[in-house]
Amino acid sequence: MEKLSQLHCYINGEFVASTHYFDNINPVNGQVIGQIAEASPHQIDDAVQSAHSALNGEWSKMSVNQRCDLLHKVADRMVERQQEFIQAEMADTGKSLHQVSTIDIPRGAANFRAFADMARYHHGETFLTETPLGEKALNYSVNKPLGVVAVISPWNLPLLLATWKVAPALACGNCVILKPSEETSSTAFLLAQVMDEVGVPNGVFNLILGRGSQVGDYITQHTGVDGVTFTGASKTGQHIMQSVAQTVKPISFELGGKNSAIVFAQADIDKAVAGVARSTFTNCGQVCLCTEKVYVHRSIAQAFIARLTATAQQINIGYPEDPDVLIGPLVSKTHREKVLSYYQLARDEGAQFLCGGGVPNFDDERDQGCYIEPTIITGLSDDNRVNQEEIFGPICHVSVFDDEDEVIARVNNTPYGLATAIWTENLSQAHRVAPQIDVGLVWVNTWFLRDLRAPFGGVKLSGIGREGGKHSLSFYSEPVNICIKVD
Ligand code: NAD
C-alpha cells in the first residue's frame, strides 16, 4: 500500500515514481504534509497508450452489467475507506468535517452508483425508413465509448467533481486519464488505490499528477486523447479550447460563475436569510455555484440585510475537525491573495463593508494558514469589477431592487451564466422569473440541491455542454448509425 505522504501517478495498474515532486501544503497552518509527483511527458504517453490497450482489451469485452457491477464495487470500497478519504480531503482543502463527511465523500461514492445504474439502460434509437422511391431500411444506432477521455478537475470539490466525470466516462466504456488539481491530489490518489483494489483492469483508470501549467497542455494536445472534460476557471477553459483545436476533440466545460440570489418581497425571510448565508459562505465561498451578488426587494431590504449580516458575523471559523466549525480556511495562500485583492478592490471602488473584510487573528498556528473573514459589502454598481468578476471567496455584495423586470435585467448583466437562487413564496412569480434568467440552473427556495439525473452546466463564460443523467451518457458515448437495407 502506498503512503499518502508521497503521491505517485498510477499508470497501467502500477503506482510509478516520478523524477520531480512538489510540496503539498495544509491550508490550516501552512505546513508541508507531503509531496506530489509531477508527471513527465513520457509517463503521460505511457498512460495514454495503456488506456488505448485497455480499450481494445478486457474492458471492451466486459458486458455493460459487468462493468457497472465493478463500478458499484468502487463505490462500496470508497465507503469502506471513507475515513481515509475524509481525512485526506480535509488535509488538502481545510474544509470542515461537516462538509466533507456529508457532501464531498458520500457524493463521490454516489456518483459511481448513480452513473453505473444509468448506463445499464443507455439505449440507442431505431427507425424504420421508407423512401419516396419505395426503398426500405432499418436504421439503428449503437453507443460506442468516446475512447480515452482526459478528466481535468479543480480543487474546490476535489473528489466529488473528479468522480462526477470519471464515473459516467467509465460506465460508458471509456478509459480515463484523471488529472486532479495540484492543490488537492490526495483523494484522487486514494481513488486510484480503490480502482486497483477492486480489480479495475490495468490501463482503464490512470492518474496523472502535476501542475496544470506543466502537464496540462501535453494531455489536452495529445493525439491519443479522444475527448476532454474539464471543470475549472473560465480562463483555463479558453486556453484548453485552443489546445484541443488542433486535434478537434469533443469537450465538455464546467467553468466559473458570478451567481446571484434574488430575494423577493414575497420571500419567507427566515428561509431566505439562512439560504443566502449558506449559498454565500459554504466551503468558504469556494463553490462554483456560490452566491456573490444578492438582490433584495426594497420593502424588506433593511430587515433582510441586518439579519444576513448578523448571521455572517456568527459563523464559526476554525479547525476543520471541530464539529461546530462551519468554514475553514481558503485552499491556498495564492488564492487568499486573490480574494483579498478583491476585498481591497471593493474598498477602492467605494464599497461599504457591513462585516468582515480582512483576515481573522487566532494567535496560534492558524495565523500561518489561509483563513479569511466572511464578508458582506454594499454600495457598488452592477458594473463595478467586484460585481462582474468571479471572486471565489466568502463574500457577497447586496443591493436593492424595485421590480421584477429590473432585477432580471440586472442579474443577467454578467458575462457568466451558471446558477441563480430565487427566494419567493409566490409560485407564479418563481415560474415566471426562472426561465428568464440566463443561466444553466435556477434554484427556488433552495440552493445546492442536486439530482444526478438533471442537466448541469452553464451558459456564456460558465461553460459548454451539459452533464448529468442522459447528458453525461451522451457526452461520453459516440452513437454510430447502422443502416440495413430491407428488400
Ligand atoms: P483552474 O482552471 O485553475 O484549474 C482546474 C484544473 O485545470 C486543475 O487540475 C489544473 O491543474 C488544470 N489546468 C490548469 N492549467 C491547465 C492547462 N493549461 N491545461 C490543462 N489543464 C490545466 O481552476 P481551479 O482554480 O482549480 O478551480 C476554481 C475554478 O473552477 C473557479 O473558476 C470555479 O468557478 C470553477 N468551477 C466550476 C464548476 C462548474 O461546475 N461550473 C465547478 C467547480 C469549480
Side-chain angles (χ1 to χ4, degrees):
M1 184 73 59
E2 299 292 327
K3 279 210 202 101
L4 197 60
S5 59
Q6 192 168 46
L7 307 183
H8 307 303
C9 297
Y10 179 69
I11 298 167
N12 198 23
E14 304 271 348
F15 289 93
V16 290
S18 291
T19 41
H20 296 295
Y21 287 80
F22 55 93
D23 287 345
N24 188 12
I25 293 171
N26 183 342
V28 169
N29 53 19
Q31 283 176 10
V32 176
I33 51 172
Q35 258 80 43
I36 301 169
E38 185 106 81
S40 66
H42 181 64
Q43 287 177 319
I44 297 170
D45 290 340
D46 284 351
V48 173
Q49 201 191 326
S50 77
H52 273 286
S53 304
L55 207 55
N56 300 318
E58 194 185 342
W59 191 233
S60 64
K61 310 227 168 11
M62 285 169 81
S63 69
V64 178
N65 278 331
Q66 285 171 325
R67 207 162 64 211
C68 293
D69 288 347
L70 193 53
L71 296 182
H72 268 271
K73 284 191 186 152
V74 170
D76 294 344
R77 186 67 185 137
M78 288 170 77
V79 171
E80 280 164 20
R81 295 186 61 184
Q82 68 178 334
Q83 284 313 320
E84 289 168 81
F85 277 96
I86 288 170
Q87 293 306 322
E89 204 78 296
M90 282 202 303
D92 277 0
T93 61
K95 286 164 188 271
S96 69
L97 174 64
H98 175 73
Q99 169 163 338
V100 176
S101 57
T102 59
I103 298 178
D104 293 71
I105 307 308
R107 287 205 202 175
N111 282 332
F112 282 101
R113 296 206 168 103
F115 286 108
D117 290 344
M118 287 182 230
R120 292 183 209 267
Y121 303 103
H122 189 210
H123 53 78
E125 299 163 293
T126 312
F127 305 97
L128 204 47
T129 310
E130 291 174 328
T131 72
L133 297 177
E135 284 178 311
K136 289 188 179 168
L138 179 63
N139 267 290
Y140 67 94
S141 65
V142 289
N143 293 311
K144 288 170 63 175
L146 264 184
V148 175
V149 175
V151 175
I152 303 178
S153 54
W155 48 256
N156 65 322
L157 294 156
L159 183 72
L160 190 160
L161 290 176
T163 53
W164 155 254
K165 290 169 179 292
V166 169
L170 293 181
C172 290
N174 298 280
C175 292
V176 162
I177 312 285
L178 170 61
K179 209 305 272 169
S181 168
E182 52 270 43
E183 306 283 358
T184 55
S185 302
S186 300
T187 47
F189 181 77
L190 288 177
L191 181 63
Q193 290 184 340
V194 164
M195 296 279 174
D196 200 65
E197 286 165 353
V198 304
V200 171
N202 293 350
V204 170
F205 173 86
N206 298 277
L207 177 66
I208 289 295
L209 300 175
R211 287 167 285 195
S213 57
Q214 301 299 308
V215 301
D217 287 345
Y218 198 81
I219 297 172
T220 55
Q221 290 170 3
H222 206 292
T223 50
V225 169
D226 302 304
V228 175
T229 177
F230 168 74
T231 306
S234 302
K235 268 212 167 74
T236 315
Q238 287 164 340
H239 179 91
I240 292 177
M241 221 167 155
Q242 289 176 339
S243 265
V244 299
Q246 288 302 319
T247 42
V248 197
K249 299 185 206 316
I251 49 169
S252 173
F253 278 179
E254 293 170 358
L255 309 178
K258 187 71 186 175
N259 312 302
S260 294
I262 310 174
V263 184
F264 283 105
Q266 296 79 359
D268 175 322
I269 195 154
D270 291 339
K271 280 193 222 160
V273 168
V276 173
R278 196 172 146 253
S279 69
T280 302
F281 300 116
T282 293
N283 204 30
C284 211
Q286 304 167 115
V287 181
C288 54
L289 306 160
C290 272
T291 300
E292 292 193 0
K293 296 193 292 175
V294 182
Y295 294 92
V296 55
H297 192 265
R298 190 175 300 279
S299 61
I300 54 163
Q302 209 180 356
F304 175 84
I305 294 170
R307 289 184 55 185
L308 183 67
T309 307
T311 307
Q313 284 167 326
Q314 283 158 18
I315 289 175
N316 199 356
I317 313 169
Y319 279 110
E321 302 79 19
D322 182 339
D324 296 329
V325 160
L326 189 69
I327 58 176
L330 291 172
V331 75
S332 66
K333 288 237 165 85
T334 310
H335 188 53
R336 186 170 70 170
E337 288 312 308
K338 179 193 159 191
V339 177
L340 284 173
S341 78
Y342 277 100
Y343 286 14
Q344 185 56 44
L345 180 63
R347 281 191 188 91
D348 297 344
E349 288 184 325
Q352 184 193 341
F353 280 68
L354 302 175
C355 66
V359 167
N361 185 31
F362 297 101
D363 280 330
D364 60 32
E365 58 165 1
R366 288 171 291 181
D367 293 338
Q368 308 309 312
C370 311
Y371 286 87
I372 195 164
E373 288 175 342
T375 298
I376 301 178
I377 57 172
T378 188
L380 297 181
S381 88
D382 293 332
D383 292 325
N384 278 115
R385 275 183 57 203
V386 164
N387 277 332
Q388 287 290 322
E389 297 173 15
E390 183 187 47
I391 301 172
F392 221 53
I395 177 170
C396 66
H397 177 274
V398 188
S399 57
V400 174
F401 73 91
D402 290 294
D403 72 63
E404 218 173 88
D405 289 343
E406 173 208 339
V407 78
I408 292 167
R410 290 177 66 189
V411 166
N412 285 338
N413 171 20
T414 156
Y416 292 96
L418 191 54
T420 292
I422 295 174
W423 298 89
T424 180
E425 296 298 302
N426 179 335
L427 211 54
S428 297
Q429 183 174 51
H431 285 301
R432 195 168 55 235
V433 173
Q436 295 185 66
I437 311 289
D438 298 333
V439 289
L441 172 52
V442 178
W443 276 294
V444 178
N445 295 330
T446 185
W447 178 79
F448 213 17
L449 202 165
R450 289 274 304 124
D451 185 322
L452 294 175
R453 296 166 298 184
F456 181 83
V459 299
K460 301 195 270 184
L461 275 186
S462 292
I464 296 178
R466 293 289 178 275
E467 295 201 36
K470 66 179 183 187
H471 305 277
S472 295
L473 303 182
S474 158
F475 177 74
Y476 295 106
S477 318
E478 204 76 271
V480 179
N481 179 198
I482 296 169
C483 177
I484 300 180
K485 179 130 191 292
V486 179
D487 288 325

